[in-house]
């Protein structure tokens, strides 16, 4: 909890929050004097597409320069490379942090330090730098209490210089801030503490200003020892100001948030507990503009006020053979936009502009009931029942906003799990859902629909000795029916079947044979709900088959594993299309049933090394042959839609692509 209090909730950019970095603040305290110097090097690279690659590197560690002095550092790169682009780098980011901390006294009360931060994004053309000095003071709040070594207070003062480059501008200025935090374990180290924190930062970068203030208090308290009632709460305030350039002006985004949360837990008896959690959030945001030049356009100041209410009440019952939960949740979010007359508009034009912004005003109310019941009739069998009912009501006051709607969802799921003799386990899940969406205003009433879903989820696991077989299926059917009679042609029926088969056999103590097969089939059809008939529109089937063996070795210096195998990934899309005919006396097109096939297959090699000395590496390569082609059969009649020539359908592509993934970690020294 102390670590969360001191490190949590800090944003990732140093030009916004003085004293924080993309990796988190580095002034969190010294390592113990007996700790060795440590260094962790990380490198990752993989291919994610035909021409796209991802690469990240990082180095982090600390140098113990003496019993009271340390140097901490973090370096990193993050890149996405697309060989087809100009320039080829989609993202090219660099970051670095170096911090030097020195303890002034033997009691570790006073600390003096400095930090250098650098952050660059070449794709966005931004670069920021920061140098900060730091003076900190900390002490225990209960020095005379032998069992309480965690209650303490920390005060920190920061100051330095900051630079920021973006939009072709170089800005520089001073940066300063403070951080005060206290944590108090009034009821012992096992009970939640009371915590208070106030943090303020400011950076003046030429014409722009970045500042932030955070104040938060957290606590939980039981009124009497072993009392059935426990209450906890949180109060917080946060304000943030960020400025950037926009259309010859400086845009200021001012965010202010007030938060309050209160909860309680009441133990009715040994098996029943009532819990309550309630919160209110009041965020506001303003977009303010000031011109940098007379020729710049005057932008309109705009903002919104928001209110969020959230409550959850839960009743929980737990016995060895029966557990039950009933929960009620309600959430409300209201947002209202406003204008400041920064452009000196007339009353009529201001009213028109305000009405245009208020189109986005909205209120969302979500009511949710949930209940669960788990029954264990025997030690080997369990029945679980889950039910939920949710209603979302969206209200837009403006008549020009057509999003006013109601969304209702009802769901029930029954799951049975059984364990049998011979390491045989079965599962069976059955579920049904009903969803309904109703747009209140006429503009989108054609989108009103009801959706009925059914789920069937059987599966089993059998692991007799060296052999292990796992098989799972999931079939869900959806019938989506439009409300309007004129929209019945848009009714859809879809069926999705997913199945996973896995077989492994331990041939020798360190040699494992593996076979995995995953199949997904998705069928979409046009539904005639009145006659309960459907016409197929589109079908896609994906097969993913892997066969291989894994050999492992273990020794005093670590373990190594090698996996050799073969993988086949094939996707088939079935649909209807039109074939263009080169016959001047006959029809221009004819109906065809088109099959598009994408096949990827080839050998796969994976190596993994885990060393006790701290060096770990894993690498895998899938040398795949990629082939795409099409086949079709001719039908009768014509088709209005996608059309192809015979030459188009005869084309195919074939190439060899090595898909690879590499991860390496090297830890030097000991923590």
């Amino acid at each position: 909890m102390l670590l969360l209090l001191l490190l949590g909730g800090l944003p990732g950019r140093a030009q916004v929050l003085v004293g924080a970095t993309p990796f988190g603040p580095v002034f969190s305290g010294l390592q113990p004097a007996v700790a060795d110097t440590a260094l962790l090097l990380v490198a990752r690279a993989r291919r994610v597409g035909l021409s796209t690659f991802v690469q990240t590197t990082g180095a982090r560690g600390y140098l113990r320069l003496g019993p009271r002095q340390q140097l901490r550092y973090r370096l990193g790169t993050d890149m996405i490379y697309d060989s087809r682009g100009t320039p080829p780098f989609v993202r090219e980011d660099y970051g670095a942090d170096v911090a030097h901390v020195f303890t002034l006294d033997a009691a570790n009360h006073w600390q003096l330090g400095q930090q250098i931060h650098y952050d660059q994004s070449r794709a966005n053309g931004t670069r920021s730098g920061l140098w900060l000095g730091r003076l900190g003071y900390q002490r225990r709040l209960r020095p005379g209490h032998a069992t309480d070594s965690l209650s303490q207070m920390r005060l920190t003062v920061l100051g330095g210089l900051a630079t920021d480059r973006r939009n072709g501008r170089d800005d520089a200025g001073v940066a300063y801030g403070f951080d005060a935090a206290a944590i108090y374990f009034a009821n012992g180290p096992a009970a939640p503490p009371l915590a208070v924190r106030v943090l303020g930062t400011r950076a003046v970068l030429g014409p722009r200003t970045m500042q932030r203030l955070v104040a938060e208090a957290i606590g939980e308290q039981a009124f009497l020892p072993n009392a059935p009632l426990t209450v906890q709460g949180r109060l917080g305030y946060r304000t943030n100001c960020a400025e950037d350039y926009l259309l010859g002006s400086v845009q200021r985004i001012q965010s202010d948030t007030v938060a309050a949360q209160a909860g309680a837990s009441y133990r009715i008896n040994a098996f029943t507990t009532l819990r309550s959690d309630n919160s209110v959030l009041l965020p506001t945001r303003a977009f303010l503009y000031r011109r940098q030049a007379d020729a710049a356009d005057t932008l309109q100041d705009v903002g919104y006020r928001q209110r969020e209410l959230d409550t959850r009440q839960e009743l929980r019952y737990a016995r060895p053979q029966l557990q039950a939960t009933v929960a009620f949740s309600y959430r409300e979010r209201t947002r209202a936009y406003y204008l400041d007359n920064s452009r000196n508009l007339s009353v009529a034009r201001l009213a028109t502009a305000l009405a245009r912004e208020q189109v986005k005003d909205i209120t969302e109310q979500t009511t949710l009931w949930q209940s669960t019941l788990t029954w264990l009739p025997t030690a080997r069998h369990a029945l679980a029942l889950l039910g939920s009912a949710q209603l979302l009501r969206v209200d837009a006051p403006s008549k020009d906003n057509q999003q006013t709607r109601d969304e209702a969802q009802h769901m029930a799921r029954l799951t049975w799990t059984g364990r049998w003799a011979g390491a045989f386990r079965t599962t069976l899940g059955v579920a049904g859902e009903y969803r309904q969406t109703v747009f209140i205003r006429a503009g989108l009433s054609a989108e009103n629909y009801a959706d009925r879903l059914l789920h069937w989820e059987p599966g089993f696991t059998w692991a007799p000795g060296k052999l292990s077989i796992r098989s799972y299926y999931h079939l869900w059917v959806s019938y989506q029916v439009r409300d309007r009679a004129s929209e019945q042609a848009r009714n859809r029926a879809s069926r999705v079947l997913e199945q996973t088969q896995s077989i492994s056999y331990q041939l020798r103590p360190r040699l494992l044979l593996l076979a995995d097969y995953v199949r997904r089939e998705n069928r979409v059809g046009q539904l005639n709900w009145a006659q309960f008939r459907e016409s197929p529109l589109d079908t896609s089937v994906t097969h993913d088959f892997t066969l291989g063996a894994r050999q492992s070795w273990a020794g005093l210096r670590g373990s190594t594993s090698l996996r050799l195998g073969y993988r086949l990934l094939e996707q088939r899309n079935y649909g209807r299309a039109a074939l263009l005919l080169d016959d001047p006396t006959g029809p221009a097109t004819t109906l065809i049933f088109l099959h598009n096939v994408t096949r990827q297959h080839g050998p796969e090699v994976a190596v993994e090394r885990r060393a006790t000395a701290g060096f770990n590496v894993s690498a895998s390569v899938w040398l795949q042959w990629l082939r795409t082609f099409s086949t079709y059969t001719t039908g009768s009649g014509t088709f209005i839609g996608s059309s192809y020539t015979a030459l188009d359908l005869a084309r195919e592509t074939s190439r060899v692509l090595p898909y690879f993934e590499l991860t390496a970690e090297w830890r030097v020294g000991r923590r």
Side-chain angles (χ1 to χ4, degrees):
M1 182 62 190
L2 176 62
L3 186 63
L4 292 177
L5 174 68
L6 296 177
L7 302 185
L10 298 180
R13 299 298 177 187
Q15 66 267 24
V16 176
L17 175 59
V18 179
T21 74
F23 312 99
V26 293
F27 294 125
S28 59
L30 293 173
Q31 294 290 332
V34 296
D36 293 331
T37 295
L39 170 63
L40 175 63
L41 302 175
V42 179
R44 296 183 177 90
R46 63 189 178 102
R47 186 177 197 156
V48 296
L50 296 179
S51 59
T52 308
F53 305 84
V54 175
Q55 178 265 329
T56 59
T57 60
R60 54 183 293 184
Y62 64 90
L63 297 174
R64 186 166 59 87
L65 305 177
R68 299 184 185 178
Q69 195 172 180
Q70 286 185 10
L71 184 70
R72 297 190 181 190
Y73 54 91
R74 295 193 183 191
L75 312 173
T77 66
D78 188 359
M79 299 183 184
I80 298 179
Y81 180 85
D82 190 341
S83 60
R84 300 171 300 179
T86 305
F89 281 99
V90 179
R91 183 173 70 195
E92 189 178 1
D93 297 343
Y94 302 89
D97 283 277
V98 180
H100 175 243
V101 184
F102 180 75
T103 300
L104 299 178
D105 59 332
N108 196 21
H109 289 322
W110 291 93
Q111 292 182 1
L112 187 66
Q114 60 179 338
Q115 173 188 353
I116 299 176
H117 166 78
Y118 178 79
D119 187 19
Q120 181 182 10
S121 176
R122 296 187 63 178
N124 297 331
T126 61
R127 182 176 67 242
S128 63
L130 176 68
W131 173 83
L132 280 177
R134 170 192 186 271
L135 177 63
Y137 174 78
Q138 66 179 17
R139 66 173 297 117
R140 291 177 57 183
L141 292 179
R142 306 170 73 182
H145 204 290
T147 61
D148 185 3
S149 60
L150 300 177
S151 296
Q152 59 179 293
M153 172 190 65
R154 291 193 176 190
L155 302 175
T156 305
V157 178
L158 305 168
L161 302 174
T163 63
D164 187 77
R165 176 181 174 84
R166 62 186 62 227
N167 299 325
R169 295 173 177 260
D170 286 297
D171 296 329
V174 297
Y176 51 91
F178 71 94
D179 189 357
I183 186 168
Y184 187 73
F185 288 82
N187 300 316
L194 304 175
V196 179
R197 185 185 188 189
V198 180
L199 169 67
T201 62
R202 181 180 176 88
V204 181
L205 300 171
R208 298 183 298 136
T209 300
M210 308 290 184
Q211 63 185 20
R212 190 179 190 217
L213 175 65
V214 177
E216 190 174 30
I218 309 171
E220 179 174 327
Q221 181 66 39
F223 290 107
L224 296 173
N226 301 321
L229 178 63
T230 301
V231 298
Q232 55 90 19
R234 171 179 297 190
L235 290 174
Y237 172 74
R238 177 171 304 196
T239 178
N240 187 68
C241 168
E243 294 186 345
D244 205 347
Y245 298 105
L246 180 65
L247 301 178
S249 299
V250 174
Q251 181 192 53
R252 176 172 182 167
I253 303 178
Q254 179 69 46
S255 302
D256 300 280
T257 302
V258 178
Q261 183 265 339
S265 175
Y266 181 72
R267 190 174 64 253
I268 300 176
N269 54 43
F271 311 106
T272 310
T273 304
L274 178 63
R275 297 178 180 176
S276 177
D277 190 8
N278 312 276
S279 63
V280 59
L281 198 64
L282 303 175
T284 63
R285 179 165 293 185
F287 299 86
L288 310 175
Y289 304 90
R290 63 178 186 270
R291 290 187 296 174
Q292 290 294 104
D294 295 336
D297 185 21
T298 302
L299 300 176
Q300 180 67 60
D301 292 349
V302 64
Y304 66 79
R305 301 179 181 91
Q306 187 166 301
R307 183 188 64 191
E308 298 181 23
L309 304 175
D310 200 342
T311 180
R312 177 180 173 86
Q313 318 300 323
E314 180 184 270
L315 180 64
R316 184 182 297 270
Y317 178 82
R319 296 291 296 266
Q321 291 184 316
L322 183 66
Q323 296 91 39
T325 303
V326 178
F328 167 77
S329 300
Y330 175 79
R331 188 173 189 271
E332 179 179 323
R333 183 177 72 93
T334 301
R335 176 178 290 187
Y337 285 81
Y338 65 91
L339 287 182
D340 291 334
N341 195 8
S342 58
R343 302 180 66 181
N344 298 320
L345 301 177
S346 64
V347 176
R349 295 184 62 188
L350 179 62
T352 301
L354 179 59
R356 187 166 53 247
E357 290 295 333
Q358 289 179 340
V359 170
K360 299 180 289 185
D361 290 359
I362 199 168
T363 298
E364 296 179 354
Q365 297 174 325
T366 303
T367 304
L368 174 62
W369 285 93
Q370 290 178 306
S371 60
T372 61
L373 178 66
T374 304
W375 179 43
L376 285 75
T378 65
R380 290 179 169 267
H381 298 274
L383 282 172
L385 178 63
L386 171 65
S388 67
Q390 177 177 293
L391 175 62
L392 169 63
R393 313 199 75 168
V394 179
D395 181 26
S398 175
K399 295 182 179 180
D400 296 329
N401 192 332
Q402 303 294 323
Q403 294 300 317
T404 300
R405 68 188 185 274
D406 291 344
E407 297 182 12
Q409 179 183 4
H410 305 272
M411 189 268 290
R413 178 185 298 273
L414 178 64
T415 305
W416 166 67
T417 304
R419 292 182 296 148
W420 310 88
F424 189 70
R425 178 177 177 176
T426 58
T427 59
L428 178 61
V430 181
E433 294 183 64
Y434 179 80
R435 304 173 183 173
Q436 186 177 14
T437 299
V438 178
F439 287 89
I440 308 302
R441 299 201 170 106
L444 290 177
S445 59
E447 303 298 325
N448 295 349
Y449 70 90
D451 200 359
R452 300 163 177 84
L453 297 94
L454 299 174
H455 299 259
W456 175 257
E457 305 172 16
F460 73 89
T461 301
W462 186 38
K466 299 181 178 181
L467 179 66
S468 176
I469 302 176
R470 298 187 304 273
S471 179
Y472 297 99
Y473 298 84
H474 186 187
L475 170 65
W476 66 90
V477 184
S478 171
Y479 300 102
Q480 188 178 101
V481 181
R482 302 283 169 169
D483 291 355
R484 279 190 180 181
S486 59
E487 301 292 329
Q488 295 304 299
R490 300 172 60 190
N491 293 346
R492 293 294 182 265
S494 63
R495 292 177 176 84
V496 180
L497 173 63
E498 288 186 351
Q499 55 177 318
T500 302
Q501 320 288 340
S502 299
I503 301 176
S504 63
Y505 184 75
Q506 197 74 43
L507 187 62
R508 291 198 295 268
R510 298 192 179 275
L511 179 59
L512 183 66
L513 304 180
L514 302 166
D516 298 300
Y517 174 67
V518 178
R519 182 179 185 272
R520 179 184 174 93
E521 180 177 347
N522 189 358
R523 296 178 178 267
V524 179
Q526 184 176 0
L527 174 65
N528 186 329
W529 180 249
Q531 301 179 3
F532 202 68
R533 297 173 57 186
E534 61 180 282
S535 302
L537 295 176
D538 182 70
T539 301
S540 64
V541 181
T542 302
H543 306 272
D544 192 352
F545 175 72
T546 304
L547 180 66
R550 186 174 64 194
Q551 175 70 47
S552 60
W553 298 270
L556 297 178
R557 297 184 177 181
S559 61
T560 305
S561 65
L562 173 65
R563 175 172 174 170
L564 303 175
Y566 178 86
R567 184 182 180 187
L568 168 66
L569 178 62
E570 182 181 271
Q571 181 175 351
R572 292 178 172 264
N573 294 320
Y574 303 86
R576 293 182 293 176
L579 178 64
L580 298 176
L581 301 177
D582 189 12
D583 186 359
T585 62
T589 63
T590 185
L591 171 68
I592 60 172
F593 299 96
L594 181 62
H595 301 168
N596 294 319
V597 182
T598 301
R599 183 176 297 156
Q600 301 164 267
H601 66 98
E604 192 175 28
V605 180
V607 179
E608 184 176 3
R609 171 65 179 175
R610 298 289 178 181
T612 57
F615 181 76
N616 303 321
V617 62
S618 62
S620 63
V621 177
W622 179 24
L623 185 61
Q624 65 165 248
W625 280 263
L626 171 65
R627 182 190 176 201
T628 60
F629 61 94
S630 301
T631 62
Y632 65 93
T633 57
T634 305
S636 59
T638 61
F639 177 78
I640 300 177
S642 302
S643 57
Y644 305 89
T645 65
L647 183 61
D648 294 333
L649 299 179
R651 293 193 182 99
E652 68 173 65
T653 61
S654 181
R655 59 187 301 185
V656 179
L657 292 173
Y659 273 77
F660 66 90
E661 184 169 354
L662 172 66
T663 301
E665 295 182 359
W666 186 21
R667 188 180 299 277
V668 183
R670 295 178 301 168
R671 281 281 186 183

